[in-house]
Amino acid sequence: MAVRPGRDGPLIPTGAPPRHVALIMDGNGRWAKARGLPRALGHRAGVNALKRTVEGAADLGLEWMTVFGFSTENWRRPPSEVTELMRLLKLYVETDLGRLERDGVRVHVIGRRAGLAPDILEVIDRAERRTAHNSRFHLQVAFNYGGRADLADSARRLATAVAEGRLDPGLINEAMLGAGLSTAEGPEPDLIVRTSGEQRISNFLLWEAAYAEFVFQDVLWPDYGPEHLAAALHEFSMRERRYGASEVHDVLAAG
Ligand code: FPP
């Protein structure tokens, strides 16, 4: 069955499996601490968890996955940890790009490029370029990303268009603001998962999360893998999504 929220809304299949899952990969530090290891080793183990999870995601029927690799707030961490997280993006791309390319994965990196070092920009550019022809699965890495910063950037673009006389401010609508976000190319997330037991959005996909379901899993990110993702998808399958309508039949009546 499909429902149409509002007269002109898109058709949305109810009970459909999610196309897009976004992951807040939390708990690397606690995983390391529990083992008496430096935090850096927790982040390294986190890269392996990311590889395992991406490998299993397409087989679970997903088309898009967005992961929170580095937030605009993570600059507040000690410089040594910031350097380690930057290094890990490079490590991930250098050790996994060939496999991602062969597996039909297209890599997208969202977030502000300003402030990133030239070697990081090169790695991002290489990952996007080498996988640009792929379409089986989309891996979107949020790096130097913040939901508020992304909204501010979109608003600034609209304001510039108004100031230059190219846009009537009375015509600005939700679609225009959404189209200016760095996530505009893909579908909105159906499901947002956060690991480690914390229950916060932490400035991730603020606009895009409008109708997402949330699942919070009590597993530290370095221990995560496809079996945990499958459990989150199962939890999602029990949810009823109404997109603001009181009942699914109200949504149908509105169409
Ligand atoms: C949160 O754990 C995790 C991060 C801030 C970084 C996530 C990064 C990875 C999983 C590996 C790198 C992957 C890419 C693509 C760069 P935390 O350190 O906040 O853990 P804690 O809350 O237990 O301290």
Side-chain angles (χ1 to χ4, degrees):
M1 179 167 70
V3 298
R4 192 188 297 280
R7 197 160 293 280
D8 302 315
L11 268 181
I12 297 162
T14 54
R19 294 179 65 200
H20 182 182
V21 173
L23 285 158
I24 303 177
M25 310 180 285
D26 197 8
N28 296 347
R30 275 163 284 167
W31 184 92
K33 193 172 175 200
R35 287 162 179 75
L37 298 171
R39 291 177 63 82
L41 290 188
H43 293 313
R44 273 171 195 253
V47 174
N48 291 333
L50 178 60
K51 289 181 184 177
R52 285 195 297 274
T53 307
V54 170
E55 265 180 59
D59 291 340
L60 289 167
L62 295 176
E63 296 168 44
W64 281 76
M65 174 176 285
T66 302
V67 294
F68 210 174
F70 189 87
S71 78
T72 44
E73 288 69 40
N74 286 156
W75 293 105
R76 296 180 195 145
R77 294 191 177 204
S80 59
E81 188 171 347
V82 170
T83 305
E84 179 65 17
L85 289 167
M86 296 286 156
R87 206 182 284 147
L88 286 184
L89 179 70
K90 281 177 82 170
L91 177 76
Y92 179 52
V93 170
E94 266 147 25
T95 57
D96 232 30
L97 186 56
R99 192 188 57 80
L100 291 168
E101 195 180 358
R102 279 194 303 281
D103 285 355
V105 178
R106 180 165 179 191
V107 178
H108 308 255
V109 181
I110 57 169
R112 284 188 175 159
R113 301 290 160 101
L116 296 177
D119 60 329
I120 301 297
L121 293 174
E122 188 280 323
V123 144
I124 291 174
D125 183 56
R126 179 155 33 109
E128 291 193 325
R129 227 175 342 98
R130 286 252 311 265
T131 62
H133 58 282
N134 283 339
S135 58
R136 175 174 165 263
F137 185 78
H138 296 262
L139 172 64
Q140 186 158 254
V141 181
F143 202 81
N144 197 22
Y145 172 87
R148 288 181 174 181
D150 210 31
L151 279 162
D153 290 348
S154 178
R156 191 178 312 105
R157 278 190 274 278
L158 292 178
T160 303
V162 170
E164 292 174 352
R166 291 182 282 115
L167 177 64
D168 173 354
L171 295 179
I172 292 177
N173 59 20
E174 293 180 13
M176 283 184 204
L177 197 56
L181 298 175
S182 60
T183 51
E185 208 178 321
E188 288 182 358
D190 303 291
L191 169 64
I192 296 180
V193 172
R194 184 171 189 145
T195 61
S196 89
E198 303 288 341
Q199 303 192 355
R200 285 187 297 279
I201 193 162
S202 298
N203 201 14
F204 191 42
L205 304 178
L206 296 180
W207 174 275
E208 299 82 347
Y211 290 105
E213 295 292 326
F214 284 79
V215 169
F216 300 104
Q217 292 181 292
D218 225 347
V219 51
L220 300 175
W221 176 255
D223 292 326
Y224 207 81
E227 68 279 23
H228 300 98
L229 184 58
L233 297 184
H234 178 70
E235 166 82 33
F236 175 91
S237 73
M238 322 277 260
R239 305 276 176 91
E240 186 185 308
R241 303 179 81 193
R242 295 197 301 264
Y243 302 92
S246 57
E247 300 284 351
V248 167
H249 62 76
D250 288 351
V251 179
L252 284 169

PDB file of all heavy atoms in Angstrom, residues 79-97:
ATOM      1  N   PRO A  79      43.857  18.375  20.259  1.00  0.00           N
ATOM      2  CA  PRO A  79      44.426  18.352  18.908  1.00  0.00           C
ATOM      3  C   PRO A  79      44.904  16.962  18.471  1.00  0.00           C
ATOM      4  O   PRO A  79      44.744  16.585  17.312  1.00  0.00           O
ATOM      5  CB  PRO A  79      45.599  19.328  18.992  1.00  0.00           C
ATOM      6  CG  PRO A  79      45.275  20.230  20.134  1.00  0.00           C
ATOM      7  CD  PRO A  79      44.429  19.448  21.094  1.00  0.00           C
ATOM      8  N   SER A  80      45.432  16.190  19.410  1.00  0.00           N
ATOM      9  CA  SER A  80      45.931  14.859  19.024  1.00  0.00           C
ATOM     10  C   SER A  80      44.773  13.962  18.566  1.00  0.00           C
ATOM     11  O   SER A  80      44.922  13.157  17.638  1.00  0.00           O
ATOM     12  CB  SER A  80      46.667  14.206  20.189  1.00  0.00           C
ATOM     13  OG  SER A  80      45.786  14.087  21.292  1.00  0.00           O
ATOM     14  N   GLU A  81      43.602  14.117  19.188  1.00  0.00           N
ATOM     15  CA  GLU A  81      42.458  13.280  18.797  1.00  0.00           C
ATOM     16  C   GLU A  81      41.889  13.758  17.447  1.00  0.00           C
ATOM     17  O   GLU A  81      41.492  12.945  16.608  1.00  0.00           O
ATOM     18  CB  GLU A  81      41.372  13.300  19.883  1.00  0.00           C
ATOM     19  CG  GLU A  81      40.274  12.291  19.595  1.00  0.00           C
ATOM     20  CD  GLU A  81      39.288  12.098  20.738  1.00  0.00           C
ATOM     21  OE1 GLU A  81      39.559  12.558  21.864  1.00  0.00           O
ATOM     22  OE2 GLU A  81      38.233  11.483  20.473  1.00  0.00           O
ATOM     23  N   VAL A  82      41.891  15.090  17.254  1.00  0.00           N
ATOM     24  CA  VAL A  82      41.435  15.627  15.964  1.00  0.00           C
ATOM     25  C   VAL A  82      42.336  15.083  14.846  1.00  0.00           C
ATOM     26  O   VAL A  82      41.854  14.595  13.813  1.00  0.00           O
ATOM     27  CB  VAL A  82      41.446  17.183  15.974  1.00  0.00           C
ATOM     28  CG1 VAL A  82      41.224  17.743  14.579  1.00  0.00           C
ATOM     29  CG2 VAL A  82      40.382  17.711  16.941  1.00  0.00           C
ATOM     30  N   THR A  83      43.653  15.118  15.085  1.00  0.00           N
ATOM     31  CA  THR A  83      44.600  14.617  14.081  1.00  0.00           C
ATOM     32  C   THR A  83      44.329  13.138  13.795  1.00  0.00           C
ATOM     33  O   THR A  83      44.349  12.703  12.638  1.00  0.00           O
ATOM     34  CB  THR A  83      46.058  14.772  14.604  1.00  0.00           C
ATOM     35  OG1 THR A  83      46.234  16.135  14.962  1.00  0.00           O
ATOM     36  CG2 THR A  83      47.082  14.362  13.573  1.00  0.00           C
ATOM     37  N   GLU A  84      44.042  12.378  14.843  1.00  0.00           N
ATOM     38  CA  GLU A  84      43.782  10.945  14.671  1.00  0.00           C
ATOM     39  C   GLU A  84      42.524  10.715  13.824  1.00  0.00           C
ATOM     40  O   GLU A  84      42.503   9.866  12.925  1.00  0.00           O
ATOM     41  CB  GLU A  84      43.637  10.282  16.052  1.00  0.00           C
ATOM     42  CG  GLU A  84      43.347   8.806  16.021  1.00  0.00           C
ATOM     43  CD  GLU A  84      44.469   7.956  15.423  1.00  0.00           C
ATOM     44  OE1 GLU A  84      45.601   8.446  15.319  1.00  0.00           O
ATOM     45  OE2 GLU A  84      44.183   6.802  15.041  1.00  0.00           O
ATOM     46  N   LEU A  85      41.472  11.493  14.089  1.00  0.00           N
ATOM     47  CA  LEU A  85      40.227  11.311  13.323  1.00  0.00           C
ATOM     48  C   LEU A  85      40.437  11.673  11.851  1.00  0.00           C
ATOM     49  O   LEU A  85      39.891  11.029  10.952  1.00  0.00           O
ATOM     50  CB  LEU A  85      39.088  12.124  13.952  1.00  0.00           C
ATOM     51  CG  LEU A  85      38.577  11.572  15.293  1.00  0.00           C
ATOM     52  CD1 LEU A  85      37.689  12.582  16.006  1.00  0.00           C
ATOM     53  CD2 LEU A  85      37.809  10.259  15.090  1.00  0.00           C
ATOM     54  N   MET A  86      41.246  12.703  11.610  1.00  0.00           N
ATOM     55  CA  MET A  86      41.575  13.074  10.223  1.00  0.00           C
ATOM     56  C   MET A  86      42.346  11.928   9.554  1.00  0.00           C
ATOM     57  O   MET A  86      42.083  11.546   8.417  1.00  0.00           O
ATOM     58  CB  MET A  86      42.456  14.336  10.189  1.00  0.00           C
ATOM     59  CG  MET A  86      41.785  15.575  10.728  1.00  0.00           C
ATOM     60  SD  MET A  86      40.560  16.203   9.576  1.00  0.00           S
ATOM     61  CE  MET A  86      39.490  17.098  10.679  1.00  0.00           C
ATOM     62  N   ARG A  87      43.312  11.384  10.325  1.00  0.00           N
ATOM     63  CA  ARG A  87      44.134  10.305   9.789  1.00  0.00           C
ATOM     64  C   ARG A  87      43.271   9.090   9.446  1.00  0.00           C
ATOM     65  O   ARG A  87      43.530   8.366   8.490  1.00  0.00           O
ATOM     66  CB  ARG A  87      45.180   9.940  10.848  1.00  0.00           C
ATOM     67  CG  ARG A  87      46.434   9.335  10.278  1.00  0.00           C
ATOM     68  CD  ARG A  87      47.411   8.955  11.383  1.00  0.00           C
ATOM     69  NE  ARG A  87      48.106  10.087  11.963  1.00  0.00           N
ATOM     70  CZ  ARG A  87      48.486  10.170  13.244  1.00  0.00           C
ATOM     71  NH1 ARG A  87      48.220   9.181  14.087  1.00  0.00           N
ATOM     72  NH2 ARG A  87      49.135  11.211  13.697  1.00  0.00           N
ATOM     73  N   LEU A  88      42.239   8.873  10.258  1.00  0.00           N
ATOM     74  CA  LEU A  88      41.405   7.693  10.045  1.00  0.00           C
ATOM     75  C   LEU A  88      40.568   7.789   8.773  1.00  0.00           C
ATOM     76  O   LEU A  88      40.297   6.778   8.143  1.00  0.00           O
ATOM     77  CB  LEU A  88      40.494   7.462  11.252  1.00  0.00           C
ATOM     78  CG  LEU A  88      41.218   6.910  12.472  1.00  0.00           C
ATOM     79  CD1 LEU A  88      40.238   6.619  13.587  1.00  0.00           C
ATOM     80  CD2 LEU A  88      41.982   5.645  12.112  1.00  0.00           C
ATOM     81  N   LEU A  89      40.164   9.018   8.413  1.00  0.00           N
ATOM     82  CA  LEU A  89      39.442   9.150   7.143  1.00  0.00           C
ATOM     83  C   LEU A  89      40.370   8.710   6.012  1.00  0.00           C
ATOM     84  O   LEU A  89      39.973   7.956   5.121  1.00  0.00           O
ATOM     85  CB  LEU A  89      38.963  10.596   6.929  1.00  0.00           C
ATOM     86  CG  LEU A  89      38.232  10.807   5.608  1.00  0.00           C
ATOM     87  CD1 LEU A  89      36.875  10.112   5.622  1.00  0.00           C
ATOM     88  CD2 LEU A  89      38.036  12.281   5.298  1.00  0.00           C
ATOM     89  N   LYS A  90      41.630   9.162   6.107  1.00  0.00           N
ATOM     90  CA  LYS A  90      42.614   8.772   5.083  1.00  0.00           C
ATOM     91  C   LYS A  90      42.819   7.259   5.081  1.00  0.00           C
ATOM     92  O   LYS A  90      42.833   6.622   4.033  1.00  0.00           O
ATOM     93  CB  LYS A  90      43.958   9.457   5.343  1.00  0.00           C
ATOM     94  CG  LYS A  90      43.998  10.887   4.881  1.00  0.00           C
ATOM     95  CD  LYS A  90      45.297  11.533   5.217  1.00  0.00           C
ATOM     96  CE  LYS A  90      46.386  11.210   4.208  1.00  0.00           C
ATOM     97  NZ  LYS A  90      47.592  12.049   4.443  1.00  0.00           N
ATOM     98  N   LEU A  91      42.964   6.702   6.289  1.00  0.00           N
ATOM     99  CA  LEU A  91      43.194   5.259   6.409  1.00  0.00           C
ATOM    100  C   LEU A  91      42.026   4.491   5.789  1.00  0.00           C
ATOM    101  O   LEU A  91      42.222   3.526   5.040  1.00  0.00           O
ATOM    102  CB  LEU A  91      43.342   4.889   7.888  1.00  0.00           C
ATOM    103  CG  LEU A  91      43.520   3.407   8.193  1.00  0.00           C
ATOM    104  CD1 LEU A  91      44.942   2.970   7.870  1.00  0.00           C
ATOM    105  CD2 LEU A  91      43.232   3.115   9.671  1.00  0.00           C
ATOM    106  N   TYR A  92      40.817   4.941   6.095  1.00  0.00           N
ATOM    107  CA  TYR A  92      39.627   4.258   5.580  1.00  0.00           C
ATOM    108  C   TYR A  92      39.620   4.284   4.049  1.00  0.00           C
ATOM    109  O   TYR A  92      39.435   3.255   3.395  1.00  0.00           O
ATOM    110  CB  TYR A  92      38.365   4.906   6.145  1.00  0.00           C
ATOM    111  CG  TYR A  92      37.089   4.270   5.641  1.00  0.00           C
ATOM    112  CD1 TYR A  92      36.907   2.895   5.726  1.00  0.00           C
ATOM    113  CD2 TYR A  92      36.075   5.028   5.071  1.00  0.00           C
ATOM    114  CE1 TYR A  92      35.752   2.289   5.262  1.00  0.00           C
ATOM    115  CE2 TYR A  92      34.907   4.432   4.609  1.00  0.00           C
ATOM    116  CZ  TYR A  92      34.751   3.064   4.700  1.00  0.00           C
ATOM    117  OH  TYR A  92      33.610   2.463   4.230  1.00  0.00           O
ATOM    118  N   VAL A  93      39.866   5.461   3.495  1.00  0.00           N
ATOM    119  CA  VAL A  93      39.835   5.589   2.031  1.00  0.00           C
ATOM    120  C   VAL A  93      40.986   4.781   1.427  1.00  0.00           C
ATOM    121  O   VAL A  93      40.795   4.033   0.461  1.00  0.00           O
ATOM    122  CB  VAL A  93      39.902   7.077   1.613  1.00  0.00           C
ATOM    123  CG1 VAL A  93      40.124   7.217   0.120  1.00  0.00           C
ATOM    124  CG2 VAL A  93      38.615   7.803   2.032  1.00  0.00           C
ATOM    125  N   GLU A  94      42.185   4.894   2.035  1.00  0.00           N
ATOM    126  CA  GLU A  94      43.329   4.215   1.445  1.00  0.00           C
ATOM    127  C   GLU A  94      43.203   2.696   1.501  1.00  0.00           C
ATOM    128  O   GLU A  94      43.605   1.994   0.579  1.00  0.00           O
ATOM    129  CB  GLU A  94      44.634   4.693   2.094  1.00  0.00           C
ATOM    130  CG  GLU A  94      45.240   5.829   1.269  1.00  0.00           C
ATOM    131  CD  GLU A  94      45.992   6.863   2.107  1.00  0.00           C
ATOM    132  OE1 GLU A  94      46.462   6.515   3.199  1.00  0.00           O
ATOM    133  OE2 GLU A  94      46.095   8.016   1.642  1.00  0.00           O
ATOM    134  N   THR A  95      42.600   2.168   2.572  1.00  0.00           N
ATOM    135  CA  THR A  95      42.527   0.703   2.672  1.00  0.00           C
ATOM    136  C   THR A  95      41.243   0.143   2.064  1.00  0.00           C
ATOM    137  O   THR A  95      41.170  -1.058   1.831  1.00  0.00           O
ATOM    138  CB  THR A  95      42.600   0.238   4.152  1.00  0.00           C
ATOM    139  OG1 THR A  95      41.536   0.856   4.874  1.00  0.00           O
ATOM    140  CG2 THR A  95      43.928   0.592   4.781  1.00  0.00           C
ATOM    141  N   ASP A  96      40.257   0.949   1.814  1.00  0.00           N
ATOM    142  CA  ASP A  96      38.969   0.388   1.404  1.00  0.00           C
ATOM    143  C   ASP A  96      38.440   0.910   0.070  1.00  0.00           C
ATOM    144  O   ASP A  96      37.438   0.385  -0.424  1.00  0.00           O
ATOM    145  CB  ASP A  96      37.924   0.657   2.502  1.00  0.00           C
ATOM    146  CG  ASP A  96      37.211  -0.616   2.924  1.00  0.00           C
ATOM    147  OD1 ASP A  96      37.839  -1.688   2.852  1.00  0.00           O
ATOM    148  OD2 ASP A  96      36.025  -0.542   3.284  1.00  0.00           O
ATOM    149  N   LEU A  97      39.107   1.908  -0.499  1.00  0.00           N
ATOM    150  CA  LEU A  97      38.529   2.525  -1.705  1.00  0.00           C
ATOM    151  C   LEU A  97      38.405   1.521  -2.857  1.00  0.00           C
ATOM    152  O   LEU A  97      37.384   1.496  -3.549  1.00  0.00           O
ATOM    153  CB  LEU A  97      39.353   3.750  -2.127  1.00  0.00           C
ATOM    154  CG  LEU A  97      38.764   4.559  -3.274  1.00  0.00           C
ATOM    155  CD1 LEU A  97      37.339   5.016  -2.978  1.00  0.00           C
ATOM    156  CD2 LEU A  97      39.642   5.776  -3.600  1.00  0.00           C
TER     157      LEU A  97
END
